[in-house]
Amino acid sequence: MTELAQLNVLSEHACFGGVQRFYQHASSAIGLPMRFSVYLPPGAEGKRLPVLFYLAGLTCTEETFMIKAGAQRAASELGIILVAPDTSPRGAGVPGETDSWDFGAGAGFYLDATAEPWSRHYRMESYILELRELVLATLPADPQRVGIFGHSMGGHGALTLALRHPELFRSVSAFAPIAAPTRCPWGRKAFGGYLGADQSAWRAHDATELIKDAGRAVFPDGILVDQGLADKFLAEQLYPEALEEACRAAGQPLELRRHAGYDHGYYFISSFVEDHLRFHSLNLG
Ligand SMILES: N[C@@H](CCC(=O)N[C@@H](CS)C(=O)NCC(=O)O)C(=O)O
C-alpha cells in the first residue's frame, strides 16, 4: 500500500469557503495510527500554496487548535494551508503513559525518545518530518514555502524543529513557548524520561541552547514570539527572557511581544493568531 492509500479522511467540514478536514494514517515513524487536521483554503486548485504547521501544547490533540484558535478566517483570506498534528502517539502501550498530563500521552515534546521504554513509539520529531513529506505529497502545498508555529510545548517544538531543520521550515513563530526546557520542570521531567539522565543530550532540544550554539541569525527575517504576562506558567516553566538574551547575543532577530493581562490559554492565542499567519505569509512569500 502507498502512503496515499493509507490516508483516511475521518471528517470534512466546509469552513470560510475552504474545507476543514481530519485525517488518520499509518505513521511509519511512530509505528501506530496517527491523526492530524488540515485547513485547506479556497482557490487551491492547480496551485501550490504556503503551508503552516501548528504544534499544540500539553494535553492537546489534533483538534484543539482548529476548534479553539479561530485561525481559519485569516488562513482563508491569506491562502495558507494549516496542518495540526496530535501531540504524541496514542495507545503505544507504555506502562503509565496516561498517568500524568505533562509526560507520555499528550506530551510527546516533539523529539525522538532514546530511552526505554519510550524509544519505540515516542518519535515525534521524525513524525513531524514524515507528516511534512506526506502533506507535500498529497496536498497542494509548496515545498519551498513551509512554516511552523506552536504553543507552549508546541512552541518549544516549533522553535527547536525549525532551528534543527532550517532547510525544511522557512519561517517560525510561537505562543508562550517552553523556551529553555533544560532549566524548567516540564522540560527536565520530559527530557529525563525520553532522553535519559545524561543531560549533554538535552541541549540539542532546547531552543535557547540551539540559538547559543548557532551563534548567528539562523532565521534572518526574524522569529515572532507572543507571551501573556498573566500566564500562570510564565515564571516557572517558560523563560522567554533566556531566549531573548540568547537571540541578542547571537544576532538572531526576535520580536518578543509581552501582553499584559493575557493568560496561557486559547483566548490569548486566538487574540494574536492572525498576526502570526500574516508574519508567516510575509516571510514565506
Ligand atoms: N492541565 C494543566 C493545563 C494544561 C494546559 O494548560 N495545556 C495547554 C498547553 S500547555 C493547553 O493548550 N490546553 C488546552 C486548552 O487550553 O484548551 C493544568 O491543569 O494546569
Side-chain angles (χ1 to χ4, degrees), residues 141-162:
D142 183 347
Q144 304 304 322
R145 291 190 290 166
V146 182
I148 191 164
F149 69 150
H151 169 228
S152 195
M153 173 184 73
H156 141 77
L159 291 168
T160 55
L161 294 186

Side-chain angles (χ1 to χ4, degrees), residues 57-60 64 68 101 151-152 186 232-233 264-266:
L58 295 164
T59 73
C60 294
T64 315
K68 292 189 167 183
W101 60 269
H151 169 228
S152 195
W186 279 340
K232 69 177 176 181
F233 299 117
H264 194 65
Y266 273 81

Side-chain angles (χ1 to χ4, degrees), residues 23 36 60 89 209 261 272:
Y23 290 97
F36 65 98
C60 294
E209 300 302 323
F272 300 106

